[in-house]
Amino acid sequence: MTRNKPWILFDIGGVLELVEDGVWQEDLKERWADRAGMSRAEYDTAIERADLPRIDLVQGRAQEYWDGFAQALGFAPAQRDEALAEMWDAYCGAENSELIDYARTLRARAGVAILSNSADGAREEEERRYGFSAVFDPICYSHEIGANKPDPEAYTAALAAMRAEPADVFFVDDRRQQIDGAARLGIRGIVHRDNRTTIAAVEDFLTAAIGS
């Protein structure tokens, strides 16, 4: 009996990158509101009224987004560029080198890929910092596929890119709702909390998929 190739599919933020999703975004909003001389409520209203493009779901509009962001807050070009640099530093966090090195060792036994909710520019920024393409292929970003996890379209796009069946994929993400979304399509996975537990779960999956 021929077995299908197993795949390990990784999220980025909170998994391959050490960041606290949901925390750094709020910290930046507070910082930018203060810099603009606004209360947080005034900041939220200004950004909402700016009607900025959804750069998590489209590509090619990042310049429009950041120009509109700066105009809404009264930022000069230098302040806009500073805010953009701060965003990418916070977004990318620090490299989870242990897990990335482990993923590199998997390539003899399985495909290793990425599915990440993202912002336009993430591919270039993360490649510059961490060189993900040397380890993972394919790399599926929400702003390129037009769908965010946990929408089914995000997982089906990744399956198509991997040319894989749901049963052949093990998904690693730090958010329960993303794992649940994958499970509804038949993709097994683990909510990432620490490297040791995740690696053990991946090894269990591979043992069952290809044998010890």
Side-chain angles (χ1 to χ4, degrees):
M1 178 178 176
T2 301
R3 288 173 171 163
N4 293 335
K5 178 181 180 179
W7 282 87
I8 311 303
L9 181 63
F10 292 88
D11 176 41
I12 297 181
V15 178
L16 299 177
E17 293 172 349
L18 302 174
V19 297
E20 289 189 76
D21 279 336
V23 175
W24 65 264
Q25 294 94 330
E26 293 302 310
D27 288 346
L28 284 181
K29 289 173 184 178
E30 294 288 349
R31 185 186 308 175
W32 292 338
D34 184 67
R35 194 173 297 163
M38 296 178 175
S39 69
R40 176 56 193 277
E42 290 169 335
Y43 169 93
D44 290 341
T45 298
I47 294 299
E48 182 178 357
R49 287 177 177 171
D51 193 24
L52 302 175
R54 286 286 304 271
I55 58 172
D56 59 328
L57 294 176
V58 299
Q59 53 185 328
R61 299 185 68 184
Q63 186 68 46
E64 176 188 347
Y65 178 95
W66 288 101
D67 286 347
F69 166 88
Q71 184 176 5
L73 300 183
F75 282 179
Q79 292 175 301
R80 176 202 59 202
D81 294 346
E82 180 183 13
L84 179 57
E86 290 171 333
M87 190 280 290
W88 284 124
D89 282 344
Y91 180 107
C92 293
E95 180 182 31
N96 187 347
S97 57
E98 180 184 16
L99 197 58
I100 294 170
D101 288 345
Y102 170 69
R104 187 179 287 108
T105 71
L106 293 174
R107 291 184 299 172
R109 295 185 286 158
V112 286
I114 282 173
L115 175 61
S116 177
N117 291 353
S118 55
D120 193 5
R123 180 178 294 274
E124 295 79 9
E125 191 68 27
E126 290 172 328
E127 183 65 20
R128 180 180 69 81
R129 293 173 188 246
Y130 306 130
F132 284 150
S133 67
V135 180
F136 305 93
D137 181 32
I139 300 175
C140 301
Y141 285 104
S142 68
H143 71 279
E144 295 175 352
I145 63 178
N148 276 320
K149 299 169 295 179
D151 293 341
E153 293 80 6
Y155 305 103
T156 56
L159 289 170
M162 292 183 290
R163 299 181 181 178
E165 296 297 324
D168 301 320
V169 179
F170 190 82
F171 183 42
V172 180
D173 197 291
D174 64 322
R175 294 194 176 191
R176 167 54 62 185
Q177 65 177 349
Q178 320 296 34
I179 294 297
D180 290 345
R184 285 191 284 272
L185 275 76
I187 300 171
R188 288 166 284 179
I190 185 173
V191 179
H192 176 74
R193 293 291 178 259
D194 62 82
N195 292 342
R196 180 179 179 182
T197 304
T198 291
I199 289 170
V202 170
E203 288 296 321
D204 287 345
F205 170 80
L206 290 176
T207 296
I210 60 180
S212 56

